Amino acid sequence: MFPVEKIRADFPILQRQVNGKPLVYFDNAATSQTPKVVIDAIVDYYSNYNANIHRGVHSLSQEATDKYEQARIILQKHFNARQAYEMIFTSGTTHSINMVASGFSKLLAKGDEVIVSALEHHSNIVPWQMLCEITGAKLKVIPMNQEGALMIDAYENLLSSKTKLVFCNHISNALGTINPIKEIIEKAHSVGAAVLIDGAQSIPHMKVDFQELDVDFYVASAHKVCGPTGMGFLYGKQEWLEKLPPYQGGGEMIETVTFEKTTYAGLPHKFEAGTPNICGGIAFGVAIDYMNSIGLDEIAAYEQELLEYGTKKLEEIDGVTIYGTSNKTSVISFNVGEIHPYDIGSILDKLGVAVRTGHHCTQPIMDFYQIPGTVRASFAFYNTKEEIDIFIEALKKAIMMLS
Ligand SMILES: *Cc1c(COP(=O)(O)O)cnc(C)c1O
């Protein structure tokens, strides 16, 4: 049995009420909640060893540096990167993608092509459009089907010797569908293209192995995996990180500076200009340790149970359409008849149930289904079937009030 009651006790926020009702938090795909060990790590940092890292000779600075670099190693081991310095700390997925897109502005030219999937978050579309504007490269799109899966045959037809980069998410945040990234990576490599995978939705739900995937770049955020906001990573293969120019100039990222010429520091510092989110990095490591203490496989199995239970309950309600039905994680994106998702979300909130409504930063997916948005209930390993029952009752009330 998955020890969900014991796990729930680790999350102080799950004890609170919203609008006089116990909180049912089903907006985990937007951000996850924070366990006490992570909160404690943040308090401990500011209470006991807050100091700037890497340059200090004094004890606090060394302690902070050690903890920050230990966190990098926790991430390296967890994701099986070859080297710790291939894990670059960033402020999150968006930041990481922009770093790579900006780097490629020096490596692409007119006539080159880059490929994006139809299922992307805006943060994995817009930076590449900006890159194409600068370089004259052409953006092509892997189409999706009605089930919310990518059409791999069409992808193969897009690939050619002109393809330089492919970017795709591991799991769609709007639908929860899992993309066949191993296949996507292999096919890209067969024409010599590099691949960036947006893992913002995968790392909370599954074990990911960078070397096994042979992925060139993989990016994610801490706040979706029980860590703090404003923290994330860019994993890049060493040879790619060496090829890309630095993203920002400043302290930390240099070896020597004169007014005539500056030489850059080695990895990872080349990409970590300025004082980083030290506490955030340390807390990210603690969050990953926490997830591992429960077990990613155990989490995935339990979340599948929640997904099946929630899907079955929802399908019993008249007028419900679920978007994204192929192989997926614990996300249910749906609409009820012609009712606007926002109206459902507002009533659910009054009843203590937090869901997301709208386009989920994926307008092209909404356009594909010709809808303004969806209601999205996304479950985490600290949610329960009892909470799903509360959500279903609240939804029935909302439907009654709105139809
Ligand atoms: C949340 C999310 C992002 C953006 O992450 P930030 O932490 O806001 O930078 C990008 N892609 C996907 C798939 C996401 O779920």
Side-chain angles (χ1 to χ4, degrees):
M1 265 272 284
F2 190 73
V4 67
E5 287 310 322
K6 184 169 158 283
I7 288 167
R8 286 178 70 79
D10 294 338
F11 291 81
I13 210 168
L14 298 179
Q15 314 304 320
R16 73 160 281 183
Q17 304 224 320
V18 168
N19 296 321
K21 311 271 187 210
L23 167 66
V24 173
Y25 186 78
F26 283 173
D27 194 18
N28 295 287
T31 201
S32 55
Q33 293 304 342
T34 319
K36 188 145 187 314
V37 276
V38 172
I39 299 169
D40 287 348
I42 294 167
V43 172
D44 181 41
Y45 171 79
Y46 284 111
S47 306
N48 294 311
Y49 62 98
N50 176 29
N52 211 333
I53 53 172
H54 294 307
R55 288 173 298 264
V57 290
H58 61 81
S59 300
L60 290 193
S61 173
Q62 281 175 16
E63 209 173 312
T65 304
D66 287 349
K67 286 261 174 58
Y68 190 68
E69 291 307 322
Q70 268 164 26
R72 200 189 303 275
I73 291 167
I74 291 171
L75 290 173
Q76 177 211 352
K77 298 228 160 94
H78 180 73
F79 294 109
N80 193 27
R82 208 168 280 111
Q83 306 290 348
Y85 55 70
E86 292 176 318
M87 303 297 306
I88 310 295
F89 282 133
T90 69
S91 73
T93 304
T94 304
H95 182 205
S96 304
I97 294 171
N98 277 281
M99 285 170 76
V100 178
S102 154
F104 268 89
S105 68
K106 305 281 194 309
L107 304 178
L108 292 187
K110 210 170 156 61
D112 288 340
E113 295 179 356
V114 297
I115 296 178
V116 67
S117 102
L119 286 168
E120 296 314 300
H121 189 283
H122 294 161
S123 70
N124 205 18
I125 301 174
V126 184
W128 307 111
Q129 288 174 323
M130 292 161 69
L131 172 68
C132 287
E133 236 164 71
I134 295 168
T135 59
K138 214 163 150 189
L139 185 75
K140 303 214 156 175
V141 183
I142 312 171
M144 62 184 276
N145 65 18
Q146 210 60 32
E147 285 78 55
L150 291 177
M151 297 167 75
I152 295 302
D153 291 353
Y155 167 57
E156 279 180 61
N157 291 334
L158 296 178
L159 287 167
S160 76
S161 60
K162 291 184 194 158
T163 314
K164 295 295 178 261
L165 249 179
V166 176
F167 22 95
C168 176
N169 58 37
H170 197 159
I171 293 176
S172 157
N173 66 299
L175 307 178
T177 47
I178 305 169
N179 292 316
I181 61 162
K182 183 129 171 86
E183 202 181 340
I184 288 172
I185 293 165
E186 272 169 17
K187 291 191 194 314
H189 285 172
S190 73
V191 297
V195 181
L196 177 141
I197 299 294
D198 169 353
Q201 294 295 335
S202 49
I203 69 165
H205 303 293
M206 60 170 69
K207 189 94 172 127
V208 178
D209 183 324
F210 296 156
Q211 290 190 69
E212 203 254 322
L213 286 170
D214 195 27
V215 65
D216 304 290
F217 300 100
Y218 200 101
V219 301
S221 300
H223 70 94
K224 289 182 178 168
V225 58
C226 297
T229 56
M231 188 67 215
F233 68 79
L234 158 63
Y235 160 79
K237 277 185 190 163
Q238 179 170 355
E239 57 264 38
W240 275 113
L241 293 176
E242 279 168 359
K243 226 176 279 180
L244 292 188
Y247 178 63
Q248 289 183 309
E252 271 304 287
M253 55 75 71
I254 51 86
E255 191 177 57
T256 61
V257 175
T258 68
F259 283 109
E260 287 69 44
K261 179 153 181 66
T262 289
T263 55
Y264 303 129
L267 296 172
H269 307 293
K270 174 180 158 187
F271 291 103
E272 293 183 355
T275 301
N277 183 353
I278 301 164
C279 171
I282 294 165
F284 194 0
V286 173
I288 292 293
D289 277 347
Y290 175 76
M291 298 292 285
N292 280 327
S293 76
I294 299 167
L296 267 294
D297 291 343
E298 286 75 8
I299 286 173
Y302 177 70
E303 289 175 343
Q304 279 301 314
E305 267 179 51
L306 293 180
L307 174 67
E308 277 166 33
Y309 185 76
T311 304
K312 184 168 118 318
K313 289 273 165 183
L314 260 180
E315 281 173 346
E316 287 167 5
I317 299 176
D318 268 354
V320 167
T321 308
I322 295 175
Y323 303 94
T325 46
S326 87
N327 180 27
K328 67 178 195 172
T329 47
S330 50
V331 171
I332 309 179
S333 220
F334 67 96
N335 276 324
V336 186
E338 296 295 307
I339 304 174
H340 199 282
Y342 178 86
D343 295 335
I344 292 177
S346 306
I347 294 177
L348 290 183
D349 177 58
K350 297 223 164 52
L351 299 169
V353 180
V355 293
R356 181 133 305 224
T357 64
H359 55 62
H360 318 297
C361 297
T362 58
Q363 282 181 9
I365 301 180
M366 302 302 127
D367 291 346
F368 174 83
Y369 288 118
Q370 298 183 314
I371 49 176
T374 69
V375 182
R376 182 185 68 186
S378 49
F379 312 131
F381 59 95
Y382 42 73
N383 290 132
T384 64
K385 289 185 185 164
E386 292 70 39
E387 288 181 307
I388 293 177
D389 290 338
I390 294 171
F391 155 68
I392 293 290
E393 285 316 304
L395 179 63
K396 286 181 180 163
K397 258 187 217 159
I399 294 169
M400 232 155 49
M401 290 168 73
L402 293 166
S403 47

